[in-house]
Amino acid sequence: MQQERQNNLMKRMAVYCLVFVATAMSAILYYSANKIIVVADVAQDEVVQESAGSEESTEKAVVVDKNNISIDRDSQNTKYFCIPLPEDVKAEEVIIENHYMDRELWVNITHKNPHEHEKFYETNGVYGNCESVTEGHFDVEKDRMCLRFDLTGVYEYHSIFEDNTLYVEFMTPKEVYDKIIVVDPAYGLQEDGVLSNEVSAKDITLEVAKAVKAKLDNTDIKVYYTRMDDSNPSAENRVELAAATKADLLIRIEVSGDANTKLYGTEAVYNSRFFIPGFGSVELADLLEREVVTAISGKANGLLEAGEEDEVISNATVPAAAIKVGYLTNGQEFILLQREDYIQRIAEGIYQTVMKAYEE
């Protein structure tokens, strides 16, 4: 009897395997026949920056010899923005980068001799639905050619590669994601924030943001980051990111400092100008402070109303709060803020804030 059950089980497994193989082969044949391939893409917060630390390296890229890509705005009979690619380009050589803080879409083509493709874009332009694109240009950097398109706003997109053409469909973030937040690591570049014994607040806020990202990447929440390197977007651009994405929340990460080295603890700053019933900036700040203080077993100093110097929080048009994670000028917190486990605990507090905010 047991032998018979084993035989039946093996037969069923064989049938399942055949069905799986047949389905997989059908999909492969379908995509091969239609030559449709999804192209790899990354968001700006996933882009590995080649260098940082100078004003020039973090400003919007400037091409000395700008090679414009012609845009045919008369052919609007498709929902796709169409980018022709040279015949020898393969899908695996193409990576799309969404530089949302700069309102740019980059299409990187890796090639052993990218200069061979320069003439192609001197004679071949883009076409289709170009409403979201203001201009385009190309330039060669080392072993790649980069096509850069200036956009009218912050967009998400779907893309497919077919018959040596990249088809891009632009969508607003809210068309793609139900839950959206913005995380804003303060300072950057020459703006160190609090500086104590060569330890700068700008590095601490960035480390906290990276730790937060590692946690939130595993959720269904879309997170836009104002910076993930040593750059310093303007307060206006940081605020605009939250507005453009129609974010549900904006959380800013800051570090405190004071001439009185005995001061320590955590504060949260809220936007008193923007009020919505229910869960607003005050509620966000209160939750943020409670969760971070609980996570680090720290001291809560209370909530602060944003002043004129708090440009990002004061001007945000979504529920917004800043968490000041400690005093770099305090001896004990100076040590704690450099510890990886402490950074992780701060990030856990911010993570729990976001999770509980969506439960409100």
Side-chain angles (χ1 to χ4, degrees), residues 248-249 271 273-283 317-320:
D248 303 312
L249 307 170
N271 180 353
R273 299 183 185 180
F274 181 77
F275 174 79
I276 60 172
F279 190 84
S281 295
V282 176
E283 289 78 11
T317 55
V318 302

Side-chain angles (χ1 to χ4, degrees), residues 69-288:
I69 298 175
S70 63
I71 301 177
D72 180 1
R73 298 188 181 276
D74 295 327
S75 55
Q76 297 282 333
N77 58 342
T78 175
K79 65 180 180 180
Y80 292 104
F81 174 56
C82 307
I83 308 170
L85 301 174
E87 287 187 5
D88 61 341
V89 171
K90 301 175 182 177
E92 57 267 27
E93 296 173 329
V94 180
I95 296 179
I96 304 175
E97 295 180 4
N98 186 355
H99 288 251
Y100 51 76
M101 279 301 290
D102 297 324
R103 309 293 198 270
E104 288 185 346
L105 186 77
W106 294 16
V107 179
N108 293 310
I109 305 170
T110 303
H111 195 270
K112 60 183 178 181
N113 186 7
H115 289 282
E116 292 180 3
H117 295 155
E118 287 188 85
K119 290 186 177 179
F120 180 86
Y121 288 104
E122 290 174 359
T123 56
N124 291 271
V126 295
Y127 58 95
N129 189 341
C130 306
E131 291 180 357
S132 303
V133 180
T134 58
E135 65 175 344
H137 63 270
F138 67 88
D139 57 285
V140 176
E141 301 173 352
K142 298 180 180 178
D143 61 345
R144 71 170 184 171
M145 168 170 279
C146 182
L147 314 181
R148 304 185 186 189
F149 298 98
D150 292 346
L151 306 179
T152 58
V154 177
Y155 293 100
E156 292 297 328
Y157 55 86
H158 290 320
S159 65
I160 56 174
F161 181 94
E162 181 181 13
D163 295 330
N164 285 96
T165 300
L166 185 63
Y167 296 92
V168 180
E169 180 185 6
F170 290 108
M171 293 159 289
T172 64
K174 276 298 185 183
E175 289 179 297
V176 182
Y177 305 107
D178 292 327
K179 302 174 182 177
I180 298 174
I181 70 169
V182 168
V183 172
D184 179 28
Y187 327 119
L189 282 181
Q190 280 72 37
E191 187 183 353
D192 291 306
V194 181
L195 186 63
S196 179
N197 293 329
E198 298 185 354
V199 176
S200 64
K202 70 174 183 178
D203 295 329
I204 294 170
T205 62
L206 186 57
E207 288 306 308
V208 172
K210 289 178 179 178
V212 170
K213 176 176 167 56
K215 296 176 184 295
L216 289 175
D217 277 353
N218 298 318
T219 70
D220 62 345
I221 301 167
K222 173 62 180 177
V223 187
Y224 291 92
Y225 298 86
T226 58
R227 72 180 185 100
M228 288 302 277
D229 56 18
D230 189 18
S231 58
N232 188 15
S234 67
E236 182 182 6
N237 286 344
R238 296 176 195 243
V239 171
E240 282 181 356
L241 179 63
T245 57
K246 292 182 169 59
D248 303 312
L249 307 170
L250 186 158
I251 294 176
R252 182 170 168 87
I253 305 166
E254 298 181 352
V255 177
S256 299
D258 196 274
N260 182 357
T261 58
K262 292 183 180 180
L263 286 179
Y264 71 98
T266 302
E267 298 108 27
V269 180
Y270 65 93
N271 180 353
S272 61
R273 299 183 185 180
F274 181 77
F275 174 79
I276 60 172
F279 190 84
S281 295
V282 176
E283 289 78 11
L284 174 60
D286 181 56
L287 181 60
L288 190 55

